[in-house]
Amino acid sequence: MGTMMPTNNGTEIRLNHPNGLGGWMVLVQIGLYLSVIRLLFLIFSTTIPSFQPDLWDVLTSPDSSVYDPLWKPALIFEAVVNVTFVLFSIFLLVQMYRKKATFPRWIIFYYVTNLIVLIIDYVLLANIELVQQMNEGGSMQDIGRLIISCAIWVPYFLRSKRVRNTFVN
């Protein structure tokens, strides 16, 4: 069985199977939920404490031994990005469960933007001497994971029959 769907070139018949939020889409759902949880944990364990007057003054005061002029923009950038990505992840979950036709484009934008932001964050933090001394290569591993993630999920959302059959509203 199929369903007649309007397209730019007229109408086309789309098979009803596979569709829905099963299959590989389960991994996308889990990933979005884990992102929300991980980012909220990061915000409450690292971001908010960074803005407490004691730590903020130590990092951003020129008189401090660990001062670097990049601390202030780096901390602000991290805070804005983390809050934005929590809200973006929640937005994507809502779009996914409503099966909105725009969801595949938004999730692709999410994956690619996440990679770009992580690279910018890495470059920003790599220029802070204290971070260079503490760096254990974790950021490069995160960038590598995101490159692999983009290489898997972007083509999936562009070519998958399940995606095409599910997100039509």
Side-chain angles (χ1 to χ4, degrees):
M1 279 274 173
T3 304
M4 295 289 284
M5 298 298 297
T7 65
N8 293 340
N9 301 333
T11 56
E12 86 179 29
I13 296 176
R14 291 194 181 163
L15 296 177
N16 292 335
H17 297 287
N19 68 7
L21 299 176
W24 291 104
M25 289 299 298
V26 171
L27 295 177
V28 174
Q29 294 173 65
I30 292 169
L32 287 171
Y33 279 111
L34 289 176
S35 290
V36 170
I37 292 167
R38 182 183 59 82
L39 288 169
L40 286 173
F41 176 77
L42 192 62
I43 288 168
F44 286 104
S45 68
T46 306
T47 306
I48 291 173
S50 297
F51 287 94
Q52 298 300 319
D54 296 342
L55 184 55
W56 179 261
D57 291 341
V58 168
L59 295 174
T60 61
S61 174
D63 301 332
S64 172
S65 62
V66 294
Y67 170 76
D68 192 295
L70 289 175
W71 271 123
K72 192 180 287 187
L75 292 172
I76 292 169
F77 179 76
E78 294 262 341
V80 169
V81 164
N82 289 339
V83 170
T84 301
F85 272 98
V86 166
L87 297 174
F88 198 7
S89 297
I90 293 168
F91 166 77
L92 287 172
L93 284 165
V94 170
Q95 294 294 302
M96 181 172 42
Y97 289 125
R98 289 185 174 172
K99 298 180 181 173
K100 293 294 185 178
T102 57
F103 174 76
R105 283 177 273 167
W106 279 115
I107 193 85
I108 290 170
F109 179 75
Y110 174 82
Y111 286 125
V112 173
T113 304
N114 202 350
L115 176 61
I116 292 168
V117 166
L118 187 61
I119 292 169
I120 292 168
D121 187 52
Y122 174 77
V123 170
L124 184 61
L125 293 177
N127 288 302
I128 298 175
E129 186 177 331
L130 182 63
V131 175
Q132 287 175 359
Q133 295 170 1
M134 295 172 31
N135 193 356
E136 299 163 357
S139 295
M140 286 305 289
Q141 290 174 343
D142 291 341
I143 291 171
R145 271 192 289 271
L146 270 176
I147 289 171
I148 292 168
S149 186
C150 283
I152 293 169
W153 292 115
V154 169
Y156 173 78
F157 279 100
L158 290 173
R159 303 192 71 166
S160 168
K161 290 179 183 176
R162 179 179 297 278
V163 169
R164 200 173 17 248
N165 292 336
T166 300
F167 301 102
V168 294
N169 295 331

